[in-house]
Amino acid sequence: MVANRDMNRERGLAAYRRELGIELPPAGSWLDLCCGTGRALLECASDARVTGVDLVAPPPHPRVEFHTASVLAWEPEEPYDLITCVHGLHYVGDKLAALTRIAAWLTPNGLFTANLDAASIEAPRPVRPLLRQAGFTYDSRRKRISLEGGRQVTFPLTYLGADDKAGPNYTGQPAVTSHYT
């Protein structure tokens, strides 16, 4: 995983609503991947289980459970009703492995939504149909991926590596291109 220190790590709830098109705070449990400072989580933390995961740990807080880890290494103890990732998958090397893991972390009625540029996944066959077959919905105009309901997902591709020198993506920030065979 490659962390981009230039990306805004101070996002609040308004940015989540705008970027992901969902209403927050959520009912039930919420996991935010690549949460930055956790500002959005802190804005709506209440009695719900709220968890943030990032490569850089925010300061501890009594109402939010923060973990310092990669999305490719961290394991939740229980499934979540909502999983979000605002502009974080851009910096993950093995994006399909991340999606596979995230799909298994949802409750049966849970929702995952994140920013993802499908053009940053290079494979010998188109990736969008593979995402659709696995149950994901991809909005190419908004560069947004979502999945309703937890499940086991596999992709018929093998990860070859990532190019962290791929240059800027649609956000204008440097990003990582994932390569598969």
Side-chain angles (χ1 to χ4, degrees):
M1 176 175 289
V2 176
N4 182 346
R5 297 175 209 273
D6 298 327
M7 197 65 176
N8 179 6
R9 298 180 48 80
E10 297 288 331
R11 282 182 211 88
L13 285 178
Y16 279 67
R17 290 181 186 115
R18 182 181 61 251
E19 291 293 332
L20 301 178
I22 58 172
E23 243 348 275
L24 289 165
S29 56
W30 176 22
L31 168 62
D32 188 30
L33 301 169
C34 308
C35 69
T37 62
R39 180 174 162 203
L41 297 168
L42 295 170
E43 284 180 32
C44 73
S46 62
D47 293 333
R49 181 170 56 114
V50 179
T51 306
V53 175
D54 199 278
L55 292 175
V56 179
H61 193 277
R63 296 178 310 177
V64 178
E65 182 181 334
F66 287 115
H67 297 274
T68 305
S70 160
V71 67
L72 296 173
W74 183 74
E75 289 290 337
E77 293 180 12
E78 297 177 48
Y80 286 85
D81 298 309
L82 176 64
I83 301 174
T84 57
C85 186
V86 175
H87 296 298
L89 293 176
H90 305 317
Y91 312 110
V92 174
D94 192 347
K95 291 172 180 55
L96 296 181
L99 294 175
T100 297
R101 293 169 58 80
I102 292 165
W105 298 344
L106 283 171
T107 61
N109 296 315
L111 172 67
F112 162 65
T113 184
N115 301 105
L116 176 73
D117 186 359
S120 69
I121 301 173
E122 292 190 2
R125 56 197 252 197
V127 173
R128 289 183 202 165
L130 296 175
L131 294 170
R132 204 170 24 258
Q133 289 168 5
F136 290 92
T137 301
Y138 182 71
D139 181 337
S140 58
R141 186 171 68 82
R142 290 187 175 93
K143 308 282 191 272
R144 190 182 299 153
I145 190 165
S146 61
L147 178 69
E148 292 185 21
R151 65 193 73 188
Q152 297 300 311
V153 170
T154 58
F155 293 102
L157 298 170
T158 302
Y159 179 61
L160 295 175
D163 178 7
D164 65 352
K165 307 282 189 262
N169 66 4
Y170 74 96
T171 67
Q173 296 291 320
V176 173
T177 299
S178 305
H179 299 276
Y180 298 86
T181 186

